[in-house]
Amino acid sequence: MSKLLDYIRLSFFACGLLLGVQIPAFVSDFGQALSAQLIEANNAVAPFKSDATKYFNNDLNKLIKHYQNIDDEIVNKGASNISTLYERQQDLQIAVNRFEKSPYIFTMINGMSDIKQQVWQRFEGQIILKKDSIIAAIVAAIIVALLAELTGYLFLTGVKRSFKRLFAAQK
């Protein structure tokens, strides 16, 4: 029985290693997707920034206000769309800057679930053996092994108490 428990512990540890080694790969893919989204946003805003440079001394907000002041519903709707694109571009620029400072923390705590979801849907397991991958793998393996050990201990303790109560009640 002791050997079986040792193999189970090793299995949990190995699963933790395999899970942990994926973390840096996911973070890397997330960073690449974030950068790609920023490039797309920059490309979408570029023609309007060019117009703002040409007519409004490089102030895109003045261009948007100009469009909003025109008495045409279609142009006003266009101003709203430009504003949305510009806000998205600014949000992505801030996100990329924060990601570059601290990729792991930013990936965990940011609210960009749409990009995370896209990355997760395309994510394929990969093993990149770099220092951070190895560290993440070992930490994840230890955490998974400890959680499995704790869960097993609590389960067995609960079973022992139940049997003690059951046999004490029968006496």
Side-chain angles (χ1 to χ4, degrees):
M1 184 69 173
S2 175
K3 280 281 191 201
L4 178 63
L5 289 176
D6 288 341
Y7 286 128
I8 291 172
R9 284 186 196 109
L10 281 173
S11 298
F12 277 111
F13 189 81
C15 289
L17 278 174
L18 291 173
L19 175 70
V21 82
Q22 301 304 312
I23 294 169
F26 182 82
V27 170
S28 175
D29 285 0
F30 176 72
Q32 290 173 2
L34 199 58
S35 295
Q37 293 265 343
L38 177 61
I39 291 168
E40 286 297 316
N42 286 337
N43 290 339
V45 172
F48 304 109
K49 281 192 172 185
S50 175
D51 288 348
T53 300
K54 189 174 183 180
Y55 300 111
F56 296 98
N57 198 24
N58 216 19
D59 189 348
L60 189 60
N61 289 319
K62 286 183 181 177
L63 176 70
I64 293 168
K65 286 179 184 174
H66 175 74
Y67 283 168
Q68 289 171 339
N69 291 333
I70 295 175
D71 197 23
D72 183 346
E73 186 179 329
I74 296 170
V75 175
N76 288 334
K77 183 68 174 163
S80 175
N81 292 339
I82 295 168
S83 180
T84 301
L85 286 172
Y86 184 51
E87 288 172 14
R88 176 72 173 167
Q89 184 263 340
Q90 289 178 321
D91 290 344
L92 286 167
Q93 184 62 59
I94 291 168
V96 166
N97 292 341
R98 289 182 180 162
F99 179 83
E100 288 172 353
K101 289 180 184 173
S102 183
Y104 290 97
I105 292 173
F106 182 78
T107 302
M108 280 191 320
I109 65 172
N110 78 64
M112 301 190 138
S113 58
D114 58 330
I115 298 175
K116 279 185 191 173
Q117 187 66 27
Q118 290 173 1
V119 171
W120 187 249
Q121 288 173 350
R122 293 187 330 259
F123 186 73
E124 294 181 7
Q126 24 183 327
I127 297 176
I128 302 170
L129 292 179
K130 296 189 301 184
K131 185 171 99 175
D132 57 341
S133 298
I134 294 169
I135 291 169
I138 291 171
V139 169
I142 290 170
I143 290 171
V144 168
L146 286 174
L147 288 174
E149 188 81 24
L150 180 63
T151 302
Y153 174 77
L154 293 174
F155 176 74
L156 289 177
T157 302
V159 169
K160 283 181 184 178
R161 286 185 182 170
S162 297
F163 276 115
K164 284 182 181 179
R165 287 182 187 160
L166 179 66
F167 289 124
Q170 289 179 354
K171 287 185 179 181

